[in-house]
Amino acid sequence: MSYNLFLNLTLDKDLKIAFFDSGIGGLSVLAEALRRFSGAEFLYFADEDHVPYGTKSRAEIVRLSLDAVGFLVAHGADAVVVACNTATSAAISELRGAFSVPVIGMEPAVKLAADSFGARPTLLIATPLTIAGEKLARLVGRLECETWSLALPRLVEFAQDLEFDSPAVRAYLREELAKFELERLGSLVLGCTHFNYFKDVLHEILPPHVRIIDGIDGTLNRLASELGGGLKLACGEDLPSRTTKFNADGGVEFDTNSSAHGGKFDAEDLDAGGESVKDKSKQGSEGRGEGEQGKEGGDEQGAERCDESGGKIYYPNGNSVEYFYSGRALDAAQLRKVELFLKRLDAMREIG
Ligand code: DGL
């Protein structure tokens, strides 16, 4: 059964699309966008100074989210994807009220789970704030399907500590999930983008019939439709959709040789001082004005200026991403870590 519609689209070259999360969780959404779209200029903002959000008050998350999105809009974002279920739950109305660009939120895919596997209960895992939020209560209240929920705040900490499949992670997940009748489950919904790093461990612990569902495709489809006027269809044959893999019988195959991310952070991409990244994909930098970039201080123009910022990476398909941690451009060592995150996410993306 096919239950996702995938859009392989080419974004208008001049559009800047920003992704925002409390930390590295939103990279899972960005990673999929890098496969799905081409010719796009992305910004990524991880609020590393304030992660985790899920245990903070709603008022605090609203304030932090307004700051983050304000930064992205000041850096030229034409649309902002809140790649964080927690920030969406706490702050989406305030963000939409404060900024004129489209702000796309991220909701736990419980409706998709109910529509697809609703004959059995759904288990939603998310942060404490998302679980306690009115938004989720309204969403779940409209469903016929039995929906259980579980807050897993430590999983966010594990992810931020780059601890993805350690014995401690396994023990934590086993203990928490043991509170539920897992054999009865139809699906597990990942209601926090940080949880995408743990799909393999979750798959290991859950009975084999349980599907793992994230909200990434729905969010990107929404982004594509919000930006409808600026989009056109691309060939996209090199961008395999997850539907194909999802429908395939047999075991999960890890696609560790992804064309979308391979090789972009190789050591030779860094100059002798390890500070800048060469532009290996010139097509991604041509024809762009960098007016907003100039705000950061230099007279430099275009790709040259971006290379020196140290936080911008060019990808296949003519995409580029400029990365920020709470408003600071990433240095070379941090960019190498991002490479590791994207590689892990590549391995995780087809587990369902
Ligand atoms: N990644 C975020 C989410 O999707 C929140 C994690 C956190 O900061 O607690 O909910």
Side-chain angles (χ1 to χ4, degrees), residues 21-22 25 51-54 83-86 127 130 156 191-194:
D21 181 41
S22 61
V51 64
Y53 277 14
C84 175
N85 299 80
T86 308
T127 64
T130 301
V156 175
C192 170
T193 48
H194 278 76

Side-chain angles (χ1 to χ4, degrees), residues 11-16 39-41 230 283-288 318:
L11 292 169
D12 184 293
K13 280 238 175 215
D14 295 321
L15 284 180
K16 256 193 196 179
E41 225 180 320
Q283 85 186 97
S285 62
E286 281 165 5
R288 275 196 219 108

